[in-house]
Amino acid sequence: MSARPIPNGFAPFAWHHLRGAVPGGWEVSRYSVEDRDGRLEFADRTGLRATASWEPCEREPDRATTMASFLEKNLLGRAAARERGLRRDDLRTEERGAFLVGWLDGGALPVQALAYDRAGGRLVRWIFEDVPDVRARRGIVAPVLDSCDFNDDPDVCEYNLFGIHAVLPRDYRVEDMVVLPANVLVSFEQEKGRSRATFRRWGLASSIRGEDTLLDFYARVVRTNRIEILSSEPRTIGGHEGLLARFSAPREHHGDRYMARRWRNGLAWVWHDRAANRIAAFEQIGPDGREELPLSTVPGLSADR
């Protein structure tokens, strides 16, 4: 995980090739499942505030020229850029860690920040909306960039979005996502081994659980995915009421689906954080002989009997 400090009032995020922190009032409004060429959009109640994106790039470009080209193609239009006589030297720039920050005087156009990830061969770009002056650059752009680093550990990848936080082996890829109010699911699949890891989070837990035991609630919810609970035992997980369940689930690939084959070695950790009013689950399943992921895949969690 990133060792960079999180500014006061900011919320951390991590997704594919980038991690950092944004102001606490910002929420992810759009996201990419694809990791090779993707983006995250952040908004607050006033509208879009920033976009972070990444794309493959074999060699480091001239970042000021790249920013000027972006303004020409995506914001000003070529005719307006020619009329204005826009050149790379018209951009005001400053270095901020790994990023080159660029803007045009006047504050009418977004502020850009570009960094080149040499280890991963990627160009990372931030576009900040509504940054009219130096105070806004120092209060928003600077702390966001200072918190950022490249999520490019060769062995593991950190994910931290929509209340789901996990550090998984690099060969696990996002396979499915469901993001609804008070109901989030992110599922990963191993590229070659076909093992799956699924993370769930439910908000408004006291209301949706009602008088059910934690096991009854969980079994009822996952039954819609044709998951069958085989056994369970109570656990204290991260200081919260929890359980360890073993389950069976359908295999997901086409031939297995046709033959209605099931894996029967599923393992699920489920816990109810009453202070946050959330229930969360970490599930894993796969071929026999697979290597189980530890509970510490969810940072900061451990279990007691």
Side-chain angles (χ1 to χ4, degrees):
M1 294 186 295
S2 175
R4 293 178 181 268
I6 303 301
N8 289 336
F10 278 52
F13 74 90
W15 196 244
H16 293 311
H17 305 294
L18 183 66
R19 57 191 168 192
V22 296
W26 292 10
E27 296 183 351
V28 176
S29 56
R30 298 183 69 181
Y31 59 89
S32 296
V33 171
E34 172 61 42
D35 74 332
R36 184 175 182 273
D37 187 348
R39 63 196 286 134
L40 291 171
E41 293 185 5
F42 298 91
D44 63 11
R45 62 177 181 270
T46 67
L48 179 65
R49 298 306 308 269
T51 301
S53 63
W54 53 88
E55 60 189 76
C57 190
E58 292 184 359
R59 63 185 67 181
E60 183 174 5
D62 182 296
R63 290 177 291 171
T65 299
T66 301
M67 285 189 278
S69 177
F70 177 86
L71 290 175
E72 177 184 327
K73 292 178 181 178
N74 297 282
L75 297 176
L76 291 173
R78 286 187 170 85
R82 283 197 299 269
E83 181 178 344
R84 181 173 181 152
L86 180 65
R87 300 171 301 172
R88 72 179 299 282
D89 294 339
D90 294 331
L91 285 167
R92 302 283 298 278
T93 62
E94 65 180 19
E95 297 280 351
R96 193 82 198 187
F99 288 88
L100 180 70
V101 185
W103 68 94
L104 291 174
D105 284 334
L109 293 173
V111 171
Q112 298 181 70
L114 267 67
Y116 184 65
D117 176 6
R118 288 184 175 82
R122 294 178 190 89
L123 185 65
V124 175
R125 184 197 309 266
W126 278 94
I127 301 172
F128 295 92
E129 311 287 340
D130 191 24
V131 185
D133 52 32
V134 65
R135 178 180 295 180
R137 289 198 301 276
R138 290 175 178 169
I140 296 176
V141 176
V144 169
L145 298 182
D146 289 346
S147 74
C148 283
D149 70 350
F150 302 127
N151 197 7
D152 57 6
D153 186 296
D155 299 319
V156 297
C157 187
E158 181 181 3
Y159 299 89
N160 190 356
L161 216 61
F162 300 115
I164 301 292
H165 193 189
V167 178
L168 284 161
R170 180 62 72 173
D171 62 342
Y172 278 76
R173 303 291 186 184
V174 179
E175 189 263 338
D176 189 25
M177 285 188 71
V178 177
V179 180
L180 300 171
N183 185 359
V184 177
L185 175 149
V186 185
S187 181
F188 299 82
E189 184 169 310
Q190 198 176 25
E191 285 186 300
K192 294 183 179 179
R194 294 171 60 186
S195 293
R196 298 203 311 268
T198 300
F199 302 84
R200 305 175 190 262
R201 178 183 65 80
W202 298 275
L204 304 175
S206 59
S207 298
I208 62 173
R209 177 178 168 180
E211 299 300 318
D212 285 350
T213 66
L214 187 58
L215 175 60
D216 288 342
F217 164 80
Y218 178 67
R220 168 169 53 85
V221 171
V222 298
R223 195 175 297 126
T224 60
N225 301 122
R226 296 187 294 158
I227 290 175
E228 298 176 2
I229 305 299
L230 304 176
S231 66
S232 72
E233 56 189 83
R235 293 291 182 92
T236 299
I237 301 175
H240 309 297
E241 174 195 4
L243 61 88
L244 172 61
R246 299 192 179 273
F247 65 90
S248 74
R251 302 187 189 187
E252 292 294 328
H253 293 267
H254 296 298
D256 294 330
R257 287 182 182 177
Y258 180 75
M259 299 298 292
R261 293 170 176 156
R262 298 178 71 85
W263 278 319
R264 303 185 65 82
N265 60 3
L267 187 68
W269 300 89
V270 188
W271 61 97
H272 185 171
D273 183 341
R274 294 184 181 276
N277 201 20
R278 291 179 176 177
I279 296 173
F282 163 34
E283 306 162 4
Q284 55 181 306
I285 198 167
D288 291 337
R290 68 186 174 84
E291 183 177 351
E292 289 186 356
L293 298 170
L295 179 57
S296 57
T297 297
V298 180
L301 274 194
S302 62
D304 301 316
R305 289 190 178 275

